[in-house]
Amino acid sequence: MLSDIEIARAAQLKPIADVAKSLSIDPGSLIPYGKYMAKTDGRGKKKGKLILVTAINPTAAGEGKTTVSVGLADAMKKIGKNVCLALREPSLGPVFGVKGGAAGGGYAQIAPMENINLHFTGDLHAITSANNLLAAMIDNHIYFGNELRIKKVTWRRCLDLNDRALRNTVSGLNWGSTREDGFDITAASEIMAVFCLAKDLNDLKKRLGDIVIGEDYEGRDVTAKDLKADEAMTVLLADALKPNLVQTLEGVPAFVHGGPFANIAHGCNSVIATETALSYADYVVTEAGFGADLGAEKFLDIKCRMANLKPAAAVIVATVRALKCAGGVKKEELSLRNDAALERGLPNLIKHIENMKNVYGLNIVVAVNRFATDEDAEIEIIQKACSKVGAEAVCCECFARGGDGGKALAEKTVAAAEKKSALTLCYDDADDIKTKIEKVAKRIYGAKGVRFLPAAQKKLVSLGEKAKGLPVCIAKTQYSLSDNPALLGRPENFEITVRDLMLRGGAKFVVALAGDIFLMPGLPKVPNAEKMTITADGIVSGLF
């Protein structure tokens, strides 16, 4: 079988102008980046239906959420629907770290995948630069007399790579004003969140100005606007804010823009890209990162709340392999039949189904992403379990067959999207931050309660009115419904431990750090970077 890269290279991609034309995008609104990529600057007149793709908690076996998202869009096109995608941009951290590329797989990919997975149109570099410009202006202000009387700096630098050595650093050694400092990965930076939640350039500028960078000697917040950094940061981000247009291997348009992680950030592509897609297509397939306890929860409770978006349906992705992994099977034994392990893993899927249906009120379909080693009887076990809780599970073979392998899923998803639904959220705007965290922990994760460590308890008091009305973004492990990555399946009788809270004044939410989560990931023992090669004529291998 051909590799993902070989499949992508063999595809007959359309010129990006033709892709834009299929959505009736005005040629004057297209800003080409070569033959197959472009930025767009405009809106259509449609009001499409939004379909959210989410998943079970990820395991080492993988669930293929992006692959299913792409395959579903391809399949919807094949059954005659006007459809496009709205997806996140890959971060270089996972590309060179543990996951490799994030453009789908097999015959369900967005392309050109090498460009998308590497530097693309430079958006993440612009976000990194804007973040670090602010950091440089903070230190420069202090160096030249500190007119704002900044006592404590809370703003951190960022880098779009996994580098655990930079989690905690010391800066200022060369000019005698040393302080503890550190780096977050770009995908977890507040600039990324602001970029993805901004409605337009003016909103972006306002949000950038509201970023809190520290405190003065009276304990008052100091903002980026106080430093007069907001305009220059907006200048760096102005071009990047225009959404990127690419295509699937089958020619379905895809807006790929913004890339926050869902375990340590809010995990959704930009509001601008989603709204742009909805203005050009009858159906828009979008994806939220990691499991539904992270990406989908934040998509609904943060993004939909802020942008007044209402998904017409949700697709929950699961695989036989991942469910067996959740049931305790080792990765090297996943191809072997083990119905007992599959049964043990199923409660994780059932919990996500219950959350999407009962908490959020969404119409749902379960997509069983089929691998070559899966047996029909294993698929049937999943389908029967889903049926018992009122959900339909559909086998999907998009990896191996592209859109043709997802037609049944497309039919069921369109039917779900046409039904009436009324989105409800997990918590109310009027709830205080402590209550919001507790509602997510209990209702979505299934925790018995939340334990706030002393630092978090102090922040609950000090945030006070500043946090009023803001949603909460809980940063925790993606591997478990709990904050302990070792508790697989559907754990019970556990507490969520919140060790700290951080106000994101520009993003307009409060981050709660749960368990041992870090905002700068590290590389694995054998990073994906070691597997990459490039030939003399520039052909890259090893991205997956």
Side-chain angles (χ1 to χ4, degrees):
M1 185 176 179
L2 294 176
S3 70
D4 287 347
I5 287 191
E6 288 170 327
I7 291 168
R9 288 185 186 135
Q12 298 297 311
L13 298 184
K14 300 177 183 177
I16 196 63
D18 291 348
V19 177
K21 186 177 180 180
S22 72
L23 286 178
S24 300
I25 295 176
D26 186 332
S29 298
L30 203 65
I31 307 164
Y33 276 65
K35 291 182 179 180
Y36 305 116
M37 305 186 301
K39 283 188 169 288
T40 62
D41 187 13
R43 296 284 174 91
K45 297 180 180 180
K46 289 182 178 288
K47 294 182 179 179
K49 291 181 180 290
L50 187 60
I51 296 166
L52 170 65
V53 178
T54 183
I56 62 173
N57 288 95
T59 68
E63 73 283 353
K65 191 165 63 273
T66 304
T67 300
V68 171
S69 298
V70 174
L72 173 59
D74 286 337
M76 290 176 72
K77 179 186 175 184
K78 282 185 176 291
I79 65 170
K81 303 302 178 183
N82 175 239
V83 61
C84 70
L85 284 151
L87 301 174
R88 292 176 298 161
E89 300 179 50
S91 162
L92 293 180
V95 169
F96 290 103
V98 67
K99 286 181 69 176
Y107 288 91
Q109 298 185 46
I110 49 174
M113 61 84 69
E114 291 104 322
N115 302 78
I116 294 168
N117 279 312
L118 297 175
H119 304 290
F120 203 14
T121 58
D123 295 347
L124 269 71
H125 299 314
I127 292 166
T128 303
S129 296
N131 184 103
N132 294 339
L133 170 64
L134 179 55
M137 291 182 71
I138 294 167
D139 288 328
N140 188 64
H141 179 88
I142 295 171
Y143 179 80
F144 281 107
N146 196 11
E147 182 181 343
L148 293 172
R149 303 183 72 250
I150 300 170
K151 179 181 180 181
K152 180 182 179 182
V153 176
T154 55
W155 188 251
R156 290 163 62 89
R157 289 164 166 84
C158 75
L159 182 73
D160 187 34
L161 287 170
N162 293 357
D163 192 345
R164 65 172 58 83
L166 294 179
R167 286 174 182 163
N168 297 292
T169 64
V170 175
S171 64
L173 292 174
N174 61 327
W175 52 279
S177 181
T178 60
R179 63 177 173 83
E180 292 184 359
D181 203 345
F183 284 71
D184 298 333
I185 192 164
T186 299
S189 71
E190 186 174 359
I191 304 292
M192 176 64 83
V194 165
F195 181 89
C196 288
L197 291 169
K199 296 177 182 178
D200 52 35
L201 192 67
N202 287 334
D203 188 32
L204 174 72
K205 186 190 301 184
K206 172 68 167 60
R207 286 172 176 270
L208 290 172
D210 289 342
I211 289 172
V212 176
I213 63 92
E215 296 178 355
D216 66 13
Y217 280 89
E218 284 71 43
R220 295 174 300 211
D221 290 341
V222 181
T223 67
K225 188 172 184 178
D226 294 332
L227 283 160
K228 300 185 176 72
D230 51 328
E231 293 282 352
M233 293 161 70
T234 307
V235 169
L236 278 174
L237 294 171
D239 286 340
L241 195 64
K242 299 178 177 69
N244 307 301
L245 180 67
V246 291
Q247 64 190 288
T248 72
L249 298 184
E250 298 187 12
V252 172
F255 291 93
V256 181
H257 195 226
F261 292 160
N263 58 342
I264 51 181
H266 74 285
C268 313
N269 68 276
S270 75
V271 167
I272 289 176
T274 301
E275 291 184 339
T276 300
L278 288 167
S279 78
Y280 285 119
D282 294 327
Y283 296 92
V284 173
V285 178
T286 193
E287 174 195 340
F290 291 124
D293 57 318
L294 287 169
E297 185 274 314
K298 294 168 184 178
F299 175 87
L300 298 164
D301 284 319
I302 297 176
K303 181 175 177 177
C304 289
R305 186 189 301 266
M306 289 188 182
N308 195 29
L309 295 168
K310 295 180 180 179
V315 175
I316 303 174
V317 181
T319 69
V320 170
R321 291 163 56 88
L323 290 171
K324 286 193 290 189
C325 192
V329 174
K330 295 179 180 178
K331 188 175 181 180
E332 58 271 19
E333 298 174 353
L334 290 174
S335 60
L336 303 177
R337 182 80 177 268
N338 191 328
D339 291 354
L342 179 57
E343 295 278 4
R344 289 196 300 271
L346 276 169
N348 184 270
L349 171 59
I350 301 306
K351 174 59 175 167
H352 291 305
I353 292 171
E354 292 171 352
N355 288 345
M356 293 299 102
K357 285 184 61 180
N358 302 336
V359 177
Y360 295 109
L362 295 180
N363 301 321
I364 67 159
V365 179
V366 175
V368 184
N369 184 20
R370 186 164 199 159
F371 281 63
T373 56
D374 295 347
E375 297 183 19
D376 290 343
E378 294 175 311
I379 304 289
E380 289 173 9
I381 289 172
I382 298 174
Q383 291 173 323
K384 288 179 181 178
C386 292
S387 180
K388 289 179 181 179
V389 292
E392 189 164 13
V394 183
C395 185
C396 175
E397 298 180 89
C398 299
F399 181 93
R401 299 173 55 209
D404 283 332
K407 285 183 178 179
L409 176 63
E411 296 281 4
K412 296 296 183 183
T413 301
V414 169
E418 294 303 323
K419 294 178 183 177
K420 288 185 178 180
S421 66
L423 175 65
T424 56
L425 299 175
C426 183
Y427 50 80
D428 297 326
D429 288 339
D431 291 336
D432 59 38
I433 288 297
K434 181 174 182 289
T435 300
K436 289 172 180 174
I437 294 170
E438 289 173 339
K439 282 187 175 181
V440 173
K442 292 177 180 179
R443 300 185 73 189
I444 305 302
Y445 307 159
K448 67 177 182 180
V450 180
R451 182 167 66 101
F452 293 88
L453 297 185
Q457 292 176 6
K458 290 180 181 178
K459 290 286 182 67
L460 286 172
V461 175
S462 64
L463 285 175
E465 286 295 305
K466 291 185 287 188
K468 189 175 181 179
L470 298 184
V472 64
C473 181
I474 301 178
K476 75 170 185 71
T477 179
Q478 67 268 35
Y479 297 115
S480 173
L481 284 162
S482 74
D483 55 10
N484 179 355
L487 295 180
L488 303 180
R490 185 175 184 171
E492 298 178 344
N493 200 35
F494 66 90
E495 284 187 322
I496 293 291
T497 299
V498 174
R499 72 175 196 269
D500 202 1
L501 300 172
M502 299 181 293
L503 174 67
R504 299 301 199 206
K508 310 300 182 192
F509 58 61
V510 174
V511 174
L513 295 177
D516 296 326
I517 198 73
F518 291 104
L519 301 187
M520 169 57 84
L523 290 170
K525 185 175 181 179
V526 182
N528 197 58
E530 292 185 13
K531 306 170 188 174
M532 292 184 184
T533 61
I534 184 168
T535 64
D537 54 354
I539 301 298
V540 176
S541 298
L543 277 173
F544 286 91

